[in-house]
């Protein structure tokens, strides 16, 4: 079955695309362009520290107030009922992430005992974006989860206009954040790396934020490219068009660089969804295509590898995606289901999933050698000789001589 061979009607937000053009719905966003734009900012914050952050706060946000906020500061702005609300959400988020956290493991074979040890990152930087409204949920998903998993020190960077708001201060307090930097965008990310001295930087954001994360990753590890928002909906004739429409509108309201794509086996459903989104106001792109069957839908979505996938179909086999939900709206995953809402975008879902316990932890392996490892030591020495590493071979052969 082919998609509707017509343009969208006047006033419709939904753009119809043939299946072969689904790969183009992500648009022409070129992150390299943003890397070039933010490079001077990142370099200056690295060189001049807090003074550069203050400069860019003035230039971009017309803010000249305090940049560094302590627990006492944001505690004074918080509201008890909001703190309680956020703590209740964190119970579910923490339970999920603790359940899925990697455990220490040991391996023994042929005279070698190797142990893998997992430990929390000592000092984490979390970027919490803010547009027209604050995002307390992102504070919970990043800082709150990190503290629940044992990260010793967490610093959050967020735009100044929200840093001392009642909502965000309550989220910081519930999340047990240690300090807050009132700085957004590229200079906020840079402040986490070069002012707060974070050992890792995580968090979502627009292209300026993600470009800055790429640049600071030369010095400090990051989690992933996480933004702008992406959604694909897989639906058959059993789907509720109103539920599908709301799911798509929810992710498209993130901004003009976001998109929501409907991939359906039923043209009638697509037309019903079109009716329901008509006249609504969202900045992101809404797209739809009609496919032969759910297998084709899965293939197209997997090739796109968006951050969110919602499945409204009688059969369910998840495609490649950052996170998938079955007959549940993607915004539920954004808030309180348990899994993290910081998700890979730009096709990164082909190689990784949501922000999770592994992103808040470091791991190391310890190896112990016993006499029974003589044959493996001989193999190692032979490989070293093949690679021209004389002293590698001598070190191994000396150990071999001591255990024989």
């Amino acid at each position: 079955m082919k998609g509707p061979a017509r343009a969208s009607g006047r006033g419709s937000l939904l753009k119809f695309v043939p299946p072969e053009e689904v790969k183009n719905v992500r648009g022409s966003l070129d992150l390299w362009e943003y890397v070039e734009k933010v490079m001077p900012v990142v370099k200056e914050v690295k060189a001049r520290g807090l003074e550069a952050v203050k400069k860019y706060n003035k230039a971009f946000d017309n803010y000249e107030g305090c940049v560094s906020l302590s627990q006492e500061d944001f505690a004074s702005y918080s509201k008890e009922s909001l703190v309680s609300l956020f703590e209740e959400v964190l119970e579910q988020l923490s339970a999920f992430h603790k359940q899925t956290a990697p455990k220490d493991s040991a391996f023994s074979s042929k005279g070698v005992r190797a142990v893998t040890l997992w430990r929390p990152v000592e000092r984490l930087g979390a970027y919490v974006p803010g547009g027209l409204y604050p995002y307390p949920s992102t504070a919970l998903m990043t800082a709150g989860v990190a503290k629940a998993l044992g990260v010793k020190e967490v610093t959050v960077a967020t735009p100044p206009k929200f840093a001392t708001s009642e909502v965000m201060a309550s989220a910081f307090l519930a999340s047990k954040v240690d300090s807050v930097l009132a700085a957004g965008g590229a200079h906020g990310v840079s402040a986490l790396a070069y002012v707060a001295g974070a050992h890792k930087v995580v968090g979502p954001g627009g292209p300026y934020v993600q470009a800055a994360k790429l640049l600071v990753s030369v010095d400090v590890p990051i989690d992933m490219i996480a933004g702008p928002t992406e959604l694909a909906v897989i639906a058959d004739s059993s789907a509720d068009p109103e539920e599908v429409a709301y799911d798509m509108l929810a992710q498209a309201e993130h901004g003009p660089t976001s998109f929501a794509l409907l991939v359906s086996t039923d043209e009638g459903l697509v037309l019903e969804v079109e009716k329901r989104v008509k006249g609504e106001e969202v900045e992101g792109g809404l797209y739809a295509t009609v496919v032969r069957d759910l297998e084709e839908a899965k293939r197209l979505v997997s090739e796109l590898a968006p951050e969110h996938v919602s499945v409204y179909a009688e059969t369910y086999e998840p495609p490649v995606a950052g996170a998938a939900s079955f007959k549940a709206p993607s915004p539920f995953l954004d808030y309180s289901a348990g899994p993290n809402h910081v998700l890979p975008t730009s096709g990164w879902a082909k190689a990784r999933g949501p922000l999770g316990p592994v992103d808040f932890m470091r791991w190391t392996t310890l190896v112990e050698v016993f006499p029974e490892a003589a044959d493996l030591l001989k193999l190692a020495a032979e490989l070293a000789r093949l690679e021209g590493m004389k002293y590698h071979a001598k070190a191994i052969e000396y150990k071999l001589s001591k255990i024989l």
Side-chain angles (χ1 to χ4, degrees):
M1 181 186 296
K2 294 182 179 180
R6 61 178 180 78
S8 302
R10 179 178 295 177
S12 174
L13 289 174
L14 199 63
K15 301 178 181 68
F16 293 94
V17 295
E20 63 270 18
E21 292 183 14
V22 162
K23 61 181 180 293
N24 298 323
V25 300
R26 188 169 274 125
S28 58
L29 180 67
D30 184 356
L31 202 56
W32 286 109
E33 292 181 7
Y34 290 89
V35 167
E36 292 176 1
K37 291 177 181 177
V38 305
M39 188 176 292
V41 176
V42 175
K43 285 185 173 180
E44 188 169 356
V45 173
K46 181 178 180 180
R48 298 181 57 234
L50 197 57
E51 289 306 309
V53 176
K54 291 178 179 179
K55 168 188 169 180
Y56 289 113
N57 267 352
K58 171 63 176 173
F60 297 140
D61 294 303
N62 195 30
Y63 177 77
E64 297 181 89
C66 182
V67 175
S68 299
L69 304 173
S70 67
Q71 282 186 340
E72 288 184 358
D73 292 325
F74 48 82
S76 67
Y77 295 108
S78 65
K79 184 178 181 180
E80 187 175 348
S81 61
L82 288 175
V83 174
S84 297
L85 167 68
F86 296 142
E87 287 176 339
E88 187 174 356
V89 173
L90 268 171
E91 285 183 16
Q92 179 76 353
L93 301 182
S94 299
F96 174 84
H97 286 81
K98 287 179 179 179
Q99 178 68 31
T100 57
K103 307 294 191 296
D104 292 351
S105 61
F107 167 84
S108 295
S109 175
K110 299 180 181 180
V112 172
R113 182 174 185 270
V115 179
T116 301
L117 302 175
W118 293 84
R119 299 293 181 267
V121 171
E122 288 279 325
R123 190 182 303 153
L124 184 81
Y127 185 79
V128 177
L132 294 176
Y133 301 97
Y135 292 111
S137 59
T138 300
L140 307 182
M141 295 279 179
T142 55
V145 170
K147 294 296 282 190
L149 291 172
V151 174
K152 185 177 180 180
E153 183 180 340
V154 176
T155 298
V156 167
T158 198
K161 67 178 179 178
F162 296 125
T164 57
S165 70
E166 185 178 74
V167 170
M168 291 309 301
S170 300
F172 297 149
L173 194 61
S175 299
K176 297 180 172 61
V177 170
D178 295 283
S179 58
V180 171
L181 292 170
H187 60 291
V189 171
S190 304
L192 291 173
Y194 304 121
V195 177
H199 297 167
K200 187 171 187 177
V201 174
V202 304
Y208 289 99
V209 167
Q210 300 309 315
K213 284 172 63 181
L214 280 177
L215 287 171
V216 303
S217 71
V218 172
D219 299 306
V220 180
I222 64 169
D223 49 357
M224 67 187 100
I225 300 300
T229 297
E230 306 169 343
L231 169 70
V233 176
I234 295 175
D236 62 15
S237 59
S238 68
D240 179 339
E242 191 156 0
E243 189 171 22
V244 171
Y246 278 131
D247 202 338
M248 296 178 69
L249 289 167
Q251 299 305 337
E253 72 177 339
H254 276 281
T257 52
S258 302
F259 73 82
L261 165 72
L262 171 58
V263 183
S264 180
T265 57
D266 184 62
E267 182 174 343
L269 173 75
V270 174
L271 296 175
E272 286 299 317
V273 171
E274 180 188 23
K275 292 177 185 177
R276 284 161 174 78
V277 301
K278 186 176 182 179
E280 299 292 345
E281 296 181 2
V282 291
E283 291 187 278
L286 296 176
Y287 302 91
T289 193
V290 178
V291 294
R292 292 183 302 273
D293 50 38
L294 291 174
E295 189 60 34
E296 184 182 9
K298 178 189 172 185
R299 178 182 62 79
L300 288 176
V301 172
S302 293
E303 289 173 357
L304 187 63
E307 62 163 349
H308 285 284
V309 172
S310 296
V311 180
Y312 297 96
E314 288 302 324
T315 58
Y316 174 49
E317 186 177 352
V320 173
S325 58
F326 179 56
K327 296 187 176 180
S330 59
F332 180 42
L333 275 69
D334 283 340
Y335 294 116
S336 59
N340 212 288
H341 79 193
V342 180
L343 300 168
T345 59
S346 301
W348 276 47
K350 292 175 182 175
R352 68 153 296 149
L355 192 72
V358 69
D359 293 296
F360 303 115
M361 305 183 83
R362 57 182 176 81
W363 62 98
T364 188
T365 53
L366 302 177
V367 175
E368 190 174 2
V369 180
F370 298 94
E372 294 80 6
D375 288 342
L376 290 176
L377 285 165
K378 290 175 184 177
L379 288 173
E382 187 174 351
L383 285 172
R385 298 275 181 200
L386 286 172
E387 293 184 353
M389 298 294 185
K390 179 175 67 174
Y391 293 108
H392 280 62
K394 284 183 176 293
I396 295 165
E397 288 165 350
Y398 182 74
K399 180 62 179 178
L400 183 61
S401 70
K402 290 184 68 176
I403 67 173
L404 288 179

